[in-house]
Amino acid sequence: MTKSLYLVAILCLFVSIPGLRAQSVATRTVSGWVKDSTSGKALDFATVYLVRTATGKAVKNEFSDSKGRFTFEKVDTGNYDIAISSVGYANAKKPLLITTDQPGTIDAGTFLMTTQNKSLKEVTITSFKPIMERDEDKMVYNTESDVSLTGQNATDALRKVPMVSVDGEGNVKLKGKSNFKILLNGKTTSLFAKDPKEALKAFPADLIKKIEVITTPSAKYEGEGVAGVINIITKKKVTGYNGSVGFGYNTLNRFNSNANLSYKSGNLGISGYVGYNKANYRKQYRDNTVKALDDSAPYATMTNNESGQSKWDYLYSNLELSYDFDSMNTLSVYGNFNGGHYRSIWDGTTKEMNKADEVQRSSQLHTDEQYAYPSYDFGADYIRKFKRNEAQELVFSVNQEFGRDNDIYLSNQYNSIPPNRLLNNHNNSSNKQTSLQTDFTYPVAKNHKLETGFKGIFRKAGSDYKSDRYNDNTGVYEPNPYNTNKFNYLQNVWGVYGVYVWSPKQYTIKAGSRLEHTGVDGNFETTSSTVQQDYYTWLPSLYLKRSLPHSRNIGLAYNKKLNRPGIYDLNPFVNTTNPYYITTGNPNLGPEITHNMELSFDGTMGESNYNFSLTESYTDGQILALRTFNEATGITTSTMGNIGRTWATTVNGYASYRFLKKFHGIVNFDVSYFDIRNKQNPQQYNSGFGGSGYFNFNYDPTERINIFIDAWYWMSNVDLQGRDGENLGYSMGGSYKFFNKKLSVHLTAFNLFNNYFPNRSYFRDETFSANSVFRQQNTSVMLSVRYNFGKLQENVSRKRGISTDDQKSSSKKN
């Protein structure tokens, strides 16, 4: 409760600061009207900008109300232009001079807007666009048209984007899902690959031109079944330098810091980025219960109660140089280094009981898991544009990545009935990847466009793993030959695609096709066994959209997606850290294929917008974890297999509404119903609901102050044998900007009234049932500070990078 009082006091201080400052701006009010030139009817939700004539920069923007009226308050003297844009109308502009001898309220007159289809030459201004608009299959948020983002970062910008939600810690979701791609200028970049949450906080919103959201990716994108794409487009053609430094601290012992610097002089651009995160979590608790459903098992019930702590640190950085030979040709080279360490130590008590709940055997289990994962990559991009048409573009890209994991697993089990079980497992793995890509965009004719390209990915992975068992007689660890092997893995993937776009009047039609070939060659040196795969996959896509009156759209989409198994799913290393629960990869895994159909409806009214969609998907050969219980030993083993046949129906909803100018609310949700069946055992199936919801409310009493509250709920989708759990959270806080908005201070409180939220999961089949409860401390307060400096208005990055997103996500937890 004390933390709550502290937070309220600080927020009150934020609100009171503006009243302590002297009012330096004049109190004049400028108002006017926006109407249709033909009918004379009022136009609501038209975007109106107040632009300084000398700089061409908008200093304020508002929306016309239901009567077509707009108002600017507290306007200083000077020369201005009033610029107006509205979807379906040609832009309009009118000069305005404000002097000291004018009255307090100034009438800017009536603006008569002409429809866009008369002539493009009637557009008198082009530098300001509606804040929200629809372009082909993309929802576009024009950040450069929103002057409220001055001095903020990319995370702040994403909070306003339709179908995107950001929680109190800065975690981003698209339509309630986390499996999406963040692109920079149309391509994947390592800047957002390792730690997107912190990278977005460090990326200034002033550098962003627009943000595109694509929920139904075409065949141009990789075969991976992602939920969608967020594409951040940066500004162009300016010089200077820009940078920022920032840090944050959370009372749960989490620390982050980062800095970036960009410099452009003439044709040469240099940009660099570095960040460091560190966490030392408070104690966590885990309670597991396994019930054997077969009388032949060594126990009727096994309980495991343990507590532990984990810590990790992570460093990420990049450096890029770009050179513009001329306005048509650009070359960029770049390099990145990333790496970190992780350690988790747990101690617990395990009890094996009979049907009468009498303890037959007990043991103390100590586990110590630690690993290091350094990686780096470098690459080059060449971009060629053509004078005949700016939309025609040719891009060549090359990239090479190196990664290594050094994992050590210690497991000491001290039994009440000997013998004891002491293990030392060690896995040293590496991954090398080379990617080549070319993309060509060609405008065939008016409203017709062709996109085509090629991509090749060449992977070489290896794993050298061994297990040592403690010998009580000799007092030393000795190799266990049954769990020791060397694994070499080669995977070559190439793909070609073609997408044709046709936009007749109020329609958009985008048809695409992608062909991918995968070749796999795996070799286990110790056991002299091999794995070989060779297959083609055809991935079509189709998108249809019809624009409706009043900025509404209805769309229908189909695509076929491919998920290849990741290296951690393929690695046959047997993790015996927990002797009662063993996990192992499966090198024989193949891809999973998903068919998606989506019906969507969206609308925009100024800064208020909504989106609803219904998605039906079918996945064959889905990669799922299968848990098997050994009745003789009482040990559960989990491994991956292409065993799933899944039908899923998902309803997504999003609504964003701004009211009374200073208030902004966001609500989104997704609810899915899954039906999962085991292809190898049709009698094994599961079904049920999963989903998430998010609510955010923002209040901006002044341009320097922001106060917010948000809440989120997440429930896992059902698995073949059960469900992982659920999570509930909320946060509240505020921010204040100093020194002409260059320095910002943020204070956020999380989960003040429920320190521990239990995450419950359960699994079951015909031989066993397992339940677990995980608890960790949730209540915390976070303080973060960021300082932006420099005068660069553009991210100097020209790097396109190579989008390597064809593998099923499978990563270690931090």
Side-chain angles (χ1 to χ4, degrees), residues 17 108 132 194 320 330 458 541 573 610 644 713 715 755 771:
I17 289 177
M132 299 290 181
K194 295 295 183 179
E320 179 189 346
T330 298
F458 311 96
S541 66
F573 171 68
Y610 53 87
Y713 173 75
M715 180 171 65
N755 193 19
N771 298 275

Side-chain angles (χ1 to χ4, degrees), residues 42-74:
L43 288 182
D44 57 351
F45 294 107
T47 309
V48 187
Y49 303 92
L50 185 65
V51 185
R52 282 201 179 274
T53 305
T55 63
K57 183 178 180 181
V59 294
K60 292 178 179 292
N61 66 271
E62 296 290 347
F63 293 97
S64 57
D65 60 21
S66 59
K67 297 180 180 180
R69 182 180 174 86
F70 64 87
T71 303
F72 293 113
E73 299 177 347
K74 297 182 179 180

Side-chain angles (χ1 to χ4, degrees), residues 277-507:
N277 295 347
K278 185 176 183 179
N280 189 357
Y281 292 124
R282 303 285 177 85
K283 185 162 287 190
Q284 302 163 321
Y285 301 90
R286 196 160 53 199
D287 301 317
N288 306 294
T289 301
V290 176
K291 290 184 178 295
L293 305 181
D294 192 313
D295 292 339
S296 63
Y299 56 80
T301 303
M302 188 270 292
T303 64
N304 176 250
N305 306 104
E306 54 185 345
S307 62
Q309 288 182 279
S310 60
K311 60 181 180 180
W312 57 268
D313 62 87
Y314 183 66
L315 173 70
Y316 49 100
S317 62
N318 68 63
L319 179 65
E320 179 189 346
L321 286 82
S322 64
Y323 187 80
D324 299 324
F325 296 97
D326 51 41
S327 60
M328 298 289 107
N329 296 272
T330 298
L331 175 67
S332 66
V333 294
Y334 58 91
N336 305 274
F337 173 78
N338 310 280
H341 302 82
Y342 172 82
R343 187 173 188 181
S344 178
I345 300 176
W346 288 81
D347 288 285
T349 300
T350 300
K351 297 179 181 179
E352 299 178 14
M353 294 171 286
N354 57 24
K355 290 185 177 181
D357 289 335
E358 298 171 337
V359 178
Q360 297 176 309
R361 185 185 183 191
S362 66
S363 62
Q364 302 295 319
L365 179 63
H366 171 84
T367 61
D368 187 346
E369 176 185 1
Q370 51 186 310
Y371 55 85
Y373 45 102
S375 65
Y376 62 93
D377 70 279
F378 59 88
D381 302 318
Y382 171 70
I383 304 171
R384 163 70 170 162
K385 293 183 176 292
F386 299 84
K387 292 182 179 180
R388 63 177 296 270
N389 193 321
E390 290 185 357
Q392 184 175 343
E393 183 180 77
L394 179 64
V395 180
F396 295 99
S397 302
V398 59
N399 174 268
Q400 193 161 55
E401 301 178 31
F402 301 87
R404 182 175 296 279
D405 281 358
N406 187 14
D407 309 339
I408 300 175
Y409 306 88
L410 301 177
S411 174
N412 297 333
Q413 182 184 14
Y414 302 96
N415 299 309
S416 59
I417 303 176
N420 296 323
R421 183 175 180 271
L422 281 66
L423 301 178
N424 185 345
N425 298 330
H426 190 187
N427 179 33
N428 193 347
S429 60
S430 62
N431 186 27
K432 178 181 179 180
Q433 175 177 291
T434 302
S435 302
L436 303 173
Q437 181 173 331
T438 180
D439 298 285
F440 180 60
T441 302
Y442 182 72
V444 180
K446 183 180 179 181
N447 299 326
H448 293 259
K449 181 174 63 174
L450 174 66
E451 300 172 340
T452 185
F454 165 84
K455 180 175 181 181
I457 308 171
F458 311 96
R459 296 187 177 98
K460 181 180 180 180
S463 177
D464 183 0
Y465 58 94
K466 62 181 180 179
S467 178
D468 295 334
R469 181 189 294 270
Y470 187 79
N471 188 320
D472 290 324
N473 297 324
T474 63
V476 298
Y477 283 91
E478 298 176 351
N480 177 10
Y482 299 102
N483 194 27
T484 298
N485 208 338
K486 284 188 177 181
F487 170 51
N488 296 314
Y489 183 84
L490 297 176
Q491 183 190 77
N492 296 327
V493 179
W494 62 260
V496 292
Y497 74 88
V499 178
Y500 196 85
V501 184
W502 180 33
S503 306
K505 295 184 179 179
Q506 69 267 40
Y507 291 91

